[in-house]
């Protein structure tokens, strides 16, 4: 079945450091790919998405490129801030099975130190 | 309301009791999802409703779990004879349209503790 694998955390960085959170997926069809973020004490919210191969999603300085050849959707940011501290979830949605389940990874906790 | 509303926000119950968790999706959203988030785990898919179609129940972990969606709007997740391993945060999400490109909007969850 479809699955998402993302790097385990926690990831601890100093402010202004570069961030990469790896995400790879397995899907039988042509999924859409997402990154969701959960800030402390808040619900999950969409950070960015890409719906087809080679698309780049971007938001709040974060970027991720849909790489079909490597089945990856790594999250990157050039300079993190303390306010980026949160849990990040990679997710996919595939329609091959006839329904639109959204499958999530286990989440990666990011802590940014001032 | 403006967002997905879930109640109760916290529920503490004794092992063996039944619990009901409620989700009120964003008005007009046709798709509704339930997920379970356990400590240190990701989001585990439970069930998905799309309009008037039969729900996708493939993620329900046992027959103690059931869910319904009345009138295409409010949904209730019921857990019968709760066990300690049912302790988790239960998240509801809704989506506006069919297809696999749309954004899920999440509620803040119902935290269930089974003693």
């Amino acid at each position: 079945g479809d699955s998402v694998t993302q790097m385990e955390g926690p990831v601890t960085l100093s402010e202004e450091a570069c961030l990469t959170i790896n995400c790879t997926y397995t899907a039988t069809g042509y999924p859409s790919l997402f990154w969701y973020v959960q800030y402390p004490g808040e619900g999950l919210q969409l950070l960015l998405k890409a719906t087809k191969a080679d698309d780049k999603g971007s938001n709040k300085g974060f970027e991720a490129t849909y790489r079909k050849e490597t089945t990856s959707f790594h999250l990157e940011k050039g300079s993190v801030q303390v306010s980026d501290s949160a849990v990040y979830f990679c997710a996919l949605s595939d329609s091959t099975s006839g329904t639109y389940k959204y499958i999530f990874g286990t989440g990666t906790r990011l802590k940014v130190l001032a | 309301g403006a967002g997905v509303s879930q109640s109760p926000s916290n529920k503490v119950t004794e092992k063996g009791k039944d619990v009901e968790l409620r989700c009120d999706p964003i008005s007009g959203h046709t798709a509704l999802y339930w997920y379970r988030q356990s400590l240190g785990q990701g989001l585990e898919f439970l069930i998905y409703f799309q309009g008037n179609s039969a729900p996708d129940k493939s993620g329900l972990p046992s027959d103690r779990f059931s869910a319904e969606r009345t009138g295409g709007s409010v949904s209730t997740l019921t857990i019968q004879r709760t066990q300690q391993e049912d302790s988790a945060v239960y998240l509801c999400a809704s989506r506006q349209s069919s297809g696999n490109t749309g954004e899920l909007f999440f509620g803040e969850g119902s935290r269930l503790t089974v003693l």
Side-chain angles (χ1 to χ4, degrees):
Chain A
D2 295 351
S3 66
V4 173
T5 302
Q6 61 182 105
M7 63 187 289
E8 292 188 17
V11 174
T12 303
L13 296 173
S14 298
E15 206 165 24
E16 299 183 4
C18 293
L19 169 71
T20 299
I21 300 178
N22 291 334
C23 172
T24 57
Y25 67 90
T26 303
T28 51
Y30 300 94
S32 294
L33 302 174
F34 307 82
W35 278 100
Y36 281 80
V37 59
Q38 187 174 32
Y39 297 105
E42 298 184 16
L44 274 85
Q45 56 188 275
L46 179 68
L47 179 60
L48 54 83
K49 71 176 184 181
T51 59
K52 61 183 188 296
D54 299 326
D55 268 2
K56 177 185 284 188
S58 61
N59 187 23
K60 299 183 180 181
F62 290 88
E63 294 183 337
T65 301
Y66 189 139
R67 303 282 188 201
K68 190 169 183 293
E69 63 275 13
T70 54
T71 61
S72 65
F73 193 55
H74 304 322
L75 182 67
E76 298 177 325
K77 187 173 187 183
S79 175
V80 294
Q81 305 300 312
V82 172
S83 57
D84 294 326
S85 297
V87 182
Y88 293 82
F89 293 89
C90 186
L92 70 78
S93 180
D94 190 6
S95 60
T96 305
S97 63
T99 66
Y100 299 104
K101 281 191 289 194
Y102 284 60
I103 306 298
F104 286 78
T106 53
T108 302
R109 183 176 298 277
L110 170 66
K111 186 173 182 180
V112 181
L113 303 176
Chain B
V4 177
S5 178
Q6 291 189 245
S7 61
S9 55
N10 277 288
K11 176 72 177 178
V12 179
T13 191
E14 294 180 347
K15 178 181 173 181
K17 301 282 190 181
D18 297 352
V19 297
E20 285 190 351
L21 307 176
R22 176 188 167 104
C23 173
D24 201 341
I26 294 172
S27 178
H29 281 197
T30 59
L32 186 147
Y33 299 75
W34 283 99
Y35 289 87
R36 178 167 70 176
Q37 185 176 22
S38 304
L39 189 63
Q41 303 295 316
L43 274 68
E44 176 188 5
F45 168 79
L46 297 177
I47 189 168
Y48 158 60
F49 297 89
Q50 174 61 58
N52 296 320
S53 302
D56 181 342
K57 304 179 182 181
S58 60
L60 294 178
S62 77
D63 59 8
R64 296 186 296 104
F65 287 72
S66 63
E68 62 177 21
R69 188 179 185 192
T70 53
S73 181
V74 171
S75 177
T76 302
L77 177 68
T78 301
I79 308 173
Q80 295 179 311
R81 306 181 302 282
T82 52
Q83 304 295 312
Q84 288 184 332
E85 60 262 28
D86 299 335
S87 295
V89 177
Y90 290 82
L91 295 172
C92 177
S94 69
R95 177 166 57 82
Q96 186 172 25
S97 61
S98 61
N100 68 332
T101 61
E103 175 181 358
L104 291 185
F105 291 83
F106 282 86
E108 296 201 1
S110 292
R111 181 177 298 277
L112 174 66
T113 303
V114 182
L115 301 177

